[in-house]
Amino acid sequence: MSAPVVGTDVPRVDGLEKVTGAAKYTADLKFPRLLHVAVVRSPHPHARVLDVRTDRAARMPGVRAVASGRDFPLHTGIYLKDQTVFATDRVRFVGDPVAAVAAETPELAAEAAAQVHVEYEPLPPIFDVEEGFAEGAPLVHPDLGSYEVVPWIRPKAGTNVCNHLKIRKGDYASALKGSWKVFENVFRVPQVQHVPMEPHVSVARVDLAGKVEVHSSAQSPFTVRHLLAHCFGLPHGDVRVHVPYVGGGFGGKAGINLEPIAVALAMRCRGRWVRLMVDRHEEFFATVVRQGLTATLVTGVDRHGKVQAQKMHYLWNCGGYGGYGVNIVRSAGYTCGGAYEFPNVEGDSIGVYTNRPVGSAYRGFGMQEIHWALEQQMDRVAVELGIDPAEFRLKNCLGAGKSTVTGQLLDEHAGRVDLCIRNVAKAIGFEPDRERTPYRGKGIACAVKAPAMPNDAASSVILKFAEDATLEILISGIDYGQGLMTVVAQFASEALDLPVEKIRVKGCPDTDLSPYDWQTVASRQTWATGNAVFRAASEIRGKLCATAAEALSVPAEELSLRGGAVVHEATGRALPFERLVMGYQFPDGHAIGGPVAAASSYLPEGLLFLDPETSQSAKPVAKWTFGAQAVSIAVDPETGQVTVEKVAACYDVGKVVNPALIKGQTYGGIVQGLGTGTMEELVLDPKTGRAVNASLMDYKIPSTEDVPAEMAVDFVETAQKDGPMGARGIGEHTMIPTPAAIANALWDACGIRISEMPITAEKVWRALKAKERAERGAKAAGEARVPAGTVA
Amino acid sequence: MPVDLDYLSPSAVDDAVALRASRPSAAFLLGGTDLLPQMRSGRRSPETLIDLKRIPELHEIRENEDGGLSVGAAVPLADVETHPVVLSRFPLLAECSKTVGAWPLRQRATLAGNVCNASPAADTAVALLALDAVVNVASTTGRLAMAISELFLGPGQTALMAGDLVTEIVLPGAAAGFRGSYQRLSRRKGMDLATVGVLVGKRDGAPASWRVALAAVAPTPLRVAAAEELLAAKGASAAREAAELAVAACRPITDLRGSAEYRREMVGVLVRRGVESLG
């Protein structure tokens, strides 16, 4: 056995391609006689569509195809099929596609799109989630009851509720009555956008034989194919999806997005390639966004500082469609208690349609949002009880022998949030007796997430050899920066004792040729594809050894793999892979074996549905990844500006596969968390429903200058039982606790709480002023106790 | 952006002015960092672009006999903020310039362009106001000089007539020697427009001279003469009073970057801090 490869800083296998520009992204691809698409979008947040007239646009010079709702009536949506390619009878957000035009130039397409006449009858819009949830609210989807839906998502016909997951554990009501102290708080998170470097783009062609071919900037080629086939009533075999390199997705390119519009137009101009590329402006409101959240938490504690009763009411602002978002609602439901053990729980996670942009997957899949609420709530309770926030978390956190909100009993392999808490507390200097400086503070927050996916979500791989014994690995997971291709090469290298240089990972899948993969989401690729790689490698090893055993006339069991050769230790005889991978030829000329290849897959085993009434389940998810972050901040008391000086992060990832990559992943997550936590919010005009900050001028994400001066990143390695070499997911978790940790540090620094994300300087300034006023008032009233300044 | 766009690149100022006069729908192009995005978004749609970058005269930075500096219209901000004379005699202009966009953008963006775009949040305009800059303009009727204080009329609006070409911006030698700070609040640290920008400058002497100028808190960049006079009379110990005068002078609006109330209060905080740091 050569030196270990897993656990070392193997350089990115796609690095050279990416830094030289050799790597091609969808928009780089050249197509002969390409047609360009302009989409006719609703200017109204909510309206009936009375008429769509496309005849004038269709007659314009250079226009090759026009399509609108009546031509494509089938519904699509990954979990809840609530959306058609184009709005048919009703539009549900500003930007909802009503029709589209394909023309010879982008300008001609835009001119023609402007000539599509749509007659609307405006309806009262709903932007606020509580308004949408209220009884008697106008319905965004009056036909909700007739939509096709997977059995584990529960829309409520006749309301705006597209999914409701209930957790009922223990006896919440009695536990609350018996509590020593009770705390209730409301927290809010606005919609935010993913802002990937590469906006969405899809190119489609329907050939003269009717076969559909798509190139798309997407996270999930097979799910795109599956949903396209459904939406257009085609056999899967007649739909082919290619995904070149992808310039960031963060969930926004999960499921299906622009592809149906491009395909619809391509069907009307067979043989021509049709490209739909949204610009940065449209990217903000016309693709997808993260859902908004209003969370109401009630916590009842006993005299020992142990939480006895916990109520969590999550209202999700899903926007106009919930096809994907309904599963975020579910995920937030079965994870509603975060990293804590709550014996008596009443949890409700409710998705509500509104007339805002469409909510969908976003790195963390609901977890940053609920942790914003939960981790601040835990902090408030700790502070009110006079218990150190880190100690309070340790007292209540999950671990071996503890049970989650779904009643799942964790074992010793589940991961150690306690170690993560201690680690970051130490790294940031969170000792209870630490020296205090005014307007400087430290905060801590935990994180947990499981992959939120159907129980049968699978990944598969194909391993095959080239003539020179280069191992080629076909995967359909997308490496859009997280390092999947490199990790796959490391696993194969480790399993076959083959140098990484002899491995080529084919990371740009083509559904006609590549093995099936459900989606690149849920922090599941290292784990699921990794497991498939080990299984396939085991098969490869068997084939190589069988041929070598015959060639060397030794028992196969006595053979091992070393440095790209099959070795018989006892005799010292060896056969390099080159002599085996295409079959072995004996001196007399006869040959055995044959081209060596293997295909294998991984599907999580033993997952059980949640009980429909209580959501209790012994194994609702494949795994949990726990972690914690702590921050130290400085607040300018006069301007409200917050500087995050240091962030410490620690996660129990089971096994660090590539230290450089996982550190990069974590730094990126922290910075993205800093963005949503302190600056991001998609703002709609309350009258028109239009996004008013749909540009990079008005919607800011962190720049390099905003990156914290210091980020201390560490990992715990409690091996995941069903993980490849013990590894579990980490991609999303890195951004979950950052905003809550900053919010908690604000309390520590200056005694204010911000319950509505993001923590802008102006909000901090207002809270400080409110606190000052309250203190003056209290002084005047001669009261000893000073209430905290708290603003929304 | 229109498909049919005439692109002209004259090599002399007079030719540029004449071309502009002959074409009713034309725009002068320098770095294009404001104009091109405006065209792309449809906010402006000129039919002709007259690129001024081939005019040698506009690329000059010239030291004047009075110790001042003339900056040609086509000189990029990156060259302005690193120019030895700017750094030694007009450091406040370098301070302000450094906050515009990012270094790569400032390789294209120009001082003249930043001024002509007339954004209330234009960072360099604050310095130019404080330094009594003069804007030299060429037009069909001849050349004239305009005090920068007369230039700004409102957001995106200047006293320039259609067809006027700013050839250079002159920093008078009499304004040399002011030191101080340009404090700027923004939603993020790198590459953002100012929510509030406050320049406070001081030149030692008997008595010392002061400069107070504000960005993003009024329809135009603003100079607060009353605060300057007060400080000249009373010195840095009058920081609070000067701040109050600045607060009284500003007329902020509420927008995505901040509320009027916050901006007004921040003017007070930043002016006070700026003065105190020079005390």
Side-chain angles (χ1 to χ4, degrees), chain A residues 474-773:
Chain A
L474 276 63
I475 59 171
S476 292
I478 305 298
D479 190 338
Y480 46 174
Q482 78 279 43
L484 175 65
M485 290 166 68
T486 308
V487 163
V488 162
Q490 284 179 266
F491 282 151
S493 167
E494 190 84 32
L496 296 171
D497 207 328
L498 184 69
V500 168
E501 298 72 47
K502 289 287 283 182
I503 298 173
R504 297 288 182 276
V505 180
K506 310 293 176 181
C508 296
D510 164 355
T511 55
D512 264 16
L513 307 172
S514 305
Y516 176 81
D517 198 298
W518 173 63
Q519 294 205 80
T520 301
V521 296
S523 309
R524 61 181 288 281
Q525 281 295 336
T526 293
W527 165 74
T529 294
N531 276 329
V533 167
F534 276 103
R535 288 183 179 182
S538 165
E539 206 178 306
I540 293 276
R541 166 191 287 262
K543 288 181 178 174
L544 289 170
C545 288
T547 305
E550 203 174 331
L552 299 173
S553 296
V554 296
E557 310 82 71
E558 292 177 11
L559 294 170
S560 55
L561 307 188
R562 199 189 323 133
V566 182
V567 179
H568 187 244
E569 296 287 351
T571 60
R573 296 166 70 202
L575 280 174
F577 284 5
E578 287 89 331
R579 294 195 50 201
L580 296 165
V581 294
M582 293 293 145
Y584 176 80
Q585 195 167 26
F586 285 91
D588 69 354
H590 86 280
I592 58 167
V596 175
S600 196
S601 63
Y602 180 76
L603 177 141
E605 286 164 11
L607 301 190
L608 302 167
F609 282 136
L610 303 161
D611 179 275
E613 290 308 315
T614 66
S615 294
Q616 297 302 290
S617 169
K619 196 176 182 192
V621 294
K623 59 190 171 67
W624 301 98
T625 303
F626 292 96
Q629 287 184 14
V631 303
S632 67
I633 65 167
V635 180
D636 182 329
E638 289 187 300
T639 66
Q641 298 237 312
V642 175
T643 305
V644 178
E645 295 178 329
K646 179 177 174 176
V647 180
C650 183
Y651 291 88
D652 190 341
V653 296
K655 172 79 185 170
V656 173
V657 180
N658 186 314
L661 285 175
I662 201 168
K663 276 184 212 153
Q665 179 76 276
T666 311
Y667 298 149
I670 289 169
V671 174
Q672 200 170 354
L674 185 76
T676 55
T678 66
M679 43 185 103
E680 295 182 49
E681 173 176 7
L682 187 68
V683 180
L684 297 195
D685 181 319
K687 287 198 190 78
T688 64
R690 290 178 199 206
V692 294
N693 59 343
S695 75
L696 289 175
M697 182 172 83
D698 292 322
Y699 185 108
K700 290 297 177 197
I701 60 171
S703 72
T704 48
E705 289 178 50
D706 298 281
V707 173
E710 191 182 353
M711 291 187 277
V713 171
D714 206 355
F715 300 96
V716 176
E717 297 183 298
T718 308
Q720 175 73 23
K721 259 203 303 200
D722 60 2
M725 301 185 74
R728 59 171 74 87
I730 178 64
E732 299 165 278
H733 307 71
T734 53
M735 74 175 287
I736 293 171
T738 321
I742 298 170
N744 293 338
L746 258 182
W747 170 268
D748 192 54
C750 48
I752 57 167
R753 297 277 184 192
I754 306 285
S755 48
E756 187 166 345
M757 218 189 287
I759 304 167
T760 62
E762 185 167 340
K763 278 189 201 168
V764 171
W765 173 77
R766 283 185 190 286
L768 285 168
K769 291 212 349 171
K771 184 188 170 216
E772 203 179 297
R773 272 197 305 274

Side-chain angles (χ1 to χ4, degrees), chain B residues 199-219:
Chain B
L199 176 146
V200 179
K202 181 188 176 190
R203 184 169 60 194
D204 290 330
S209 304
W210 290 81
R211 292 289 187 267
V212 176
L214 313 175
V217 290

Side-chain angles (χ1 to χ4, degrees), chain B residues 204-247:
Chain B
D204 290 330
S209 304
W210 290 81
R211 292 289 187 267
V212 176
L214 313 175
V217 290
T220 64
L222 205 65
R223 191 162 151 189
V224 190
E228 295 176 0
E229 286 157 20
L230 176 85
L231 290 165
K234 295 192 176 177
S237 61
R240 282 181 189 275
E241 290 164 75
E244 279 164 26
L245 289 171
V247 169

